[in-house]
Amino acid sequence: MERADENLLPSVYKEVSEAFNVGPTDLGYLTFIRNFVQALSSPLAGVLVFHYDRPTILASGTMCWALSTAAVGVSHRFWQVALWRAVNGFGLAIVIPALQSFIADSYEDGVRGTGFGILALVGAVGGVGGGAVATIMAGQEFWGIPGWRCAFIMMAILSSLIGISVFIFGIDPRELHKDITLETAEGSERTTLIEVGYVSVPSVWSESWRAMKTVMKVQTFQFIVMQGVVGSLPWTAIVFSTMWFELIGFDHKKTAALISLFTIGNSMGNLLGGFIGDGLSQVYPNTGRIMAAQFSAFMGVCFSWFLLVVIPQSVSSWSIFAVTLFFMGLMISWNCTCANNPMFAEVVPLKHRTMIYAFDRAFEGSFSSFAAPIVGVLAEKIFGYDPKSVILPSGSPKEALALSRGLVSMMTVPFALCCLFYTPLYWTYKRDRVNARNAALY
C-alpha cells in the first residue's frame, strides 16, 4: 500500500494538470513538498521506537497517509493538494525507517539482501496496482466524479484497512526473539529503557542523541548517503514518465502497460539484486555487495540514455519502449537490496538500526526531493515546454521532447555519480563492520 500510494499522484499528473491548470514545474513541487517533509520528519521514527513498538508506529503512519490521500482526492485548490501532500510525507517518514529496521531484525546477515528484496517485491506489486489502476481510472468518471479523485479515495480506504490490520496482528521481531543472547546483550531501543523501570522524556532524548552521534560517525554510512543523495534523483525525476508517454501520444491503457512493465521489472530486479548481493557477499564478504551496486548504477546510465534519447518518440515505438522499460527496471534497481540496506544493518549496533535507516531517509530524501521540480524547470525554461500547447487526445511531440531532455539530464549524470561514490566503500565497509561487531561484545 505504501508503494501504491507513492505512485498514485504521478500516475494522474496529466489530469491534475488539467484540473488545477498547472504545468510540470508546479507538479514537480508537489513531489518536492512530500519528499522534503518526509526527509525532515524521518528521524522522528528513530525516536518513536523508544516509546512504542514498531507495529504501532507502522499503523499510525499508515493511517496518517490514508487521511492525506483521501483529502487530496476531495481538494479543489492547488494549495490544498500541496498541504495534504506534506501530511502524506509525514506519514511515510514514520513508516519507512521503522519498516526497514523491522526487516533487518527479521533476517540474518547472509540472507538480509533477500529479505529486503522480498519486501521490495511485495511493495512493487502495490506500485503496479496503484499506478495502473489510477492511470486507467483517470480517463473515466464514476457517479459524476472524475476517476482520478475516485482512485485517491479508494486507495485511502484500503490503506486504512491495512493500518488497522497491522495494529491488531503485527508482532515486533524483537518481542519474538528477546531471549536470544544477542538481544539480551544489546537490548533494543525500547526494551533497554523499559528494563530500568521508567521511560522518561529526558532519557529518551538522551539515548536518541547518542544514537544520532554514533550513526553520523560511521564512514560507510556517510558514503552510502552520499551516493544515495545523487542516486535518488533519477527515481524522483522518473515520476514524469507517465506524463511523458501520454505526451508522446499513448492512451491511458498503453501508458499504464508501459509503466507496469517497468514496475514489474523493477520488482524482479529488487529481488534479483538481493540474491546477487547475498551470493557475492558469501564469496567476497567485504566487496561483493559494493560491486553489485556499482554495476546496477552503471546500467542506469546506459538504459536512461537509450530510453530517452535513442528510441524514437513515437507511438509506433511502443514495443521497444516496453522491452527497454522491463529490462531497465530489472537491472537498475539493485542498490538498496543488494548493498545499502543490508550494509546499514551490519555497520551499527542492533539498537541503532532504526536510527541509521531514519537518517538515511532524511539525507537522501531532502536532496532528492529537488529532482522533480528541477525536471519541470528544465523542461519549461530550458527545453521549451509550453503547457498551453499540450494537445491531450493526440499527444504533443514538441512538449514530449522537451520533457524527455529534462528527464535525461536528471537521470544519466546522477546515475554516473552514484556509481563513482560507491568506490570509497571498498576501504571503509570492512572496518566499520568489524567495529560494530566489537561494540556488540561490550
Side-chain angles (χ1 to χ4, degrees):
M1 295 308 301
E2 168 210 324
R3 291 289 296 276
D5 187 84
E6 288 182 354
N7 287 343
L8 199 56
L9 184 62
S11 299
V12 296
Y13 263 169
K14 193 177 75 170
E15 287 70 28
V16 173
S17 177
E18 291 181 75
F20 297 99
N21 194 28
V22 295
T25 301
D26 290 319
L27 294 174
Y29 283 131
L30 292 179
T31 299
F32 163 76
I33 290 169
R34 190 206 69 186
N35 289 353
F36 194 69
V37 171
Q38 178 182 341
L40 293 181
S41 306
S42 289
L44 181 61
V47 177
L48 288 174
V49 295
F50 293 114
H51 280 291
Y52 309 100
D53 60 14
R54 284 174 295 188
T56 302
I57 298 171
L58 294 172
S60 301
T62 304
M63 296 302 293
C64 183
W65 92 51
L67 170 66
S68 61
T69 299
V72 169
V74 299
S75 295
H76 291 282
R77 298 287 187 274
F78 187 74
W79 66 265
Q80 294 172 337
V81 177
L83 172 64
W84 288 111
R85 292 301 286 173
V87 177
N88 187 269
F90 180 79
L92 291 172
I94 296 174
V95 169
I96 295 177
L99 181 59
Q100 289 175 324
S101 67
F102 192 104
I103 296 299
D105 289 351
S106 300
Y107 292 85
E108 297 180 353
D109 290 355
V111 294
R112 191 169 284 124
T114 303
F116 281 107
I118 294 172
L119 173 66
L121 177 64
V122 173
V125 173
V128 171
V133 171
T135 302
I136 294 172
M137 290 179 66
Q140 306 176 46
E141 284 193 359
F142 301 89
W143 308 287
I145 302 174
W148 72 269
R149 293 185 182 275
C150 293
F152 273 81
I153 295 171
M154 181 184 71
M155 197 64 62
I157 294 172
L158 293 175
S159 295
S160 299
L161 295 175
I162 294 296
I164 294 171
S165 299
V166 169
F167 180 76
I168 295 174
F169 301 110
I171 301 175
D172 197 312
R174 289 174 184 169
E175 295 298 324
L176 293 174
H177 305 295
K178 60 184 178 182
D179 294 328
I180 294 179
T181 302
L182 178 63
E183 181 69 14
T184 304
E186 292 191 59
S188 69
E189 292 108 321
R190 185 165 172 258
T191 56
T192 298
L193 296 178
I194 289 176
E195 287 169 0
V196 176
Y198 178 66
V199 185
S200 66
V201 173
S203 65
V204 166
W205 286 105
S206 175
E207 182 66 20
S208 300
W209 179 246
R210 284 196 295 270
M212 292 177 192
K213 291 193 293 184
T214 300
V215 167
M216 296 292 289
K217 290 179 181 179
V218 178
Q219 285 193 318
T220 296
F221 168 77
Q222 296 170 4
F223 288 120
I224 291 180
V225 167
M226 186 185 301
Q227 68 77 30
V229 166
V230 295
S232 298
L233 293 175
W235 294 98
T236 308
I238 206 168
V239 297
F240 281 104
S241 57
T242 298
M243 186 177 185
W244 177 52
F245 287 126
E246 291 176 348
L247 288 172
I248 290 174
F250 295 115
D251 60 26
H252 284 89
K253 291 183 179 180
K254 288 186 177 180
T255 298
L258 289 173
I259 300 303
S260 297
L261 283 169
F262 175 75
T263 309
I264 292 169
N266 186 10
S267 64
M268 295 173 63
N270 280 310
L271 185 58
L272 176 63
F275 278 125
I276 291 176
D278 289 343
L280 287 176
S281 70
Q282 301 297 321
V283 182
Y284 307 103
N286 302 313
T287 60
R289 294 192 184 277
I290 306 167
M291 290 188 292
Q294 285 188 305
F295 174 80
S296 184
F298 178 72
M299 288 294 99
V301 178
C302 301
F303 276 104
S304 297
W305 182 265
F306 186 77
L307 176 73
L308 296 163
V309 177
V310 178
I311 301 177
Q313 296 187 22
S314 166
V315 292
S316 61
S317 301
W318 189 90
S319 297
I320 191 169
F321 274 129
V323 174
T324 301
L325 284 167
F326 175 77
F327 284 102
M328 180 177 179
L330 186 69
M331 301 302 294
I332 73 172
S333 53
W334 300 1
N335 296 48
C336 286
T337 56
C338 80
N340 299 5
N341 290 337
M343 291 167 70
F344 278 149
E346 296 178 21
V347 297
V348 294
L350 182 148
K351 63 181 180 178
H352 293 158
R353 282 178 180 168
T354 301
M355 193 64 73
I356 197 170
Y357 290 116
F359 268 86
D360 173 56
R361 287 293 86 214
F363 284 108
E364 291 190 21
S366 59
F367 286 95
S368 66
S369 59
F370 289 93
I374 290 176
V375 170
V377 170
L378 288 173
E380 291 190 46
K381 307 300 183 184
I382 305 298
F383 300 110
Y385 183 99
D386 183 6
K388 297 180 181 179
S389 300
V390 173
I391 305 172
L392 296 177
S394 60
S396 300
K398 178 177 177 293
E399 278 61 47
L401 181 62
L403 186 57
S404 71
R405 294 301 178 262
L407 282 169
V408 76
S409 302
M410 289 303 298
M411 293 184 70
T412 54
V413 175
F415 270 131
L417 292 175
C418 174
C419 182
L420 178 65
F421 289 163
Y422 270 112
T423 305
L425 295 178
Y426 288 109
W427 292 274
T428 65
Y429 174 50
K430 178 182 178 180
R431 183 190 66 230
D432 290 336
R433 189 172 58 164
V434 171
N435 290 341
R437 289 179 176 176
N438 292 337
L441 301 176
Y442 299 97

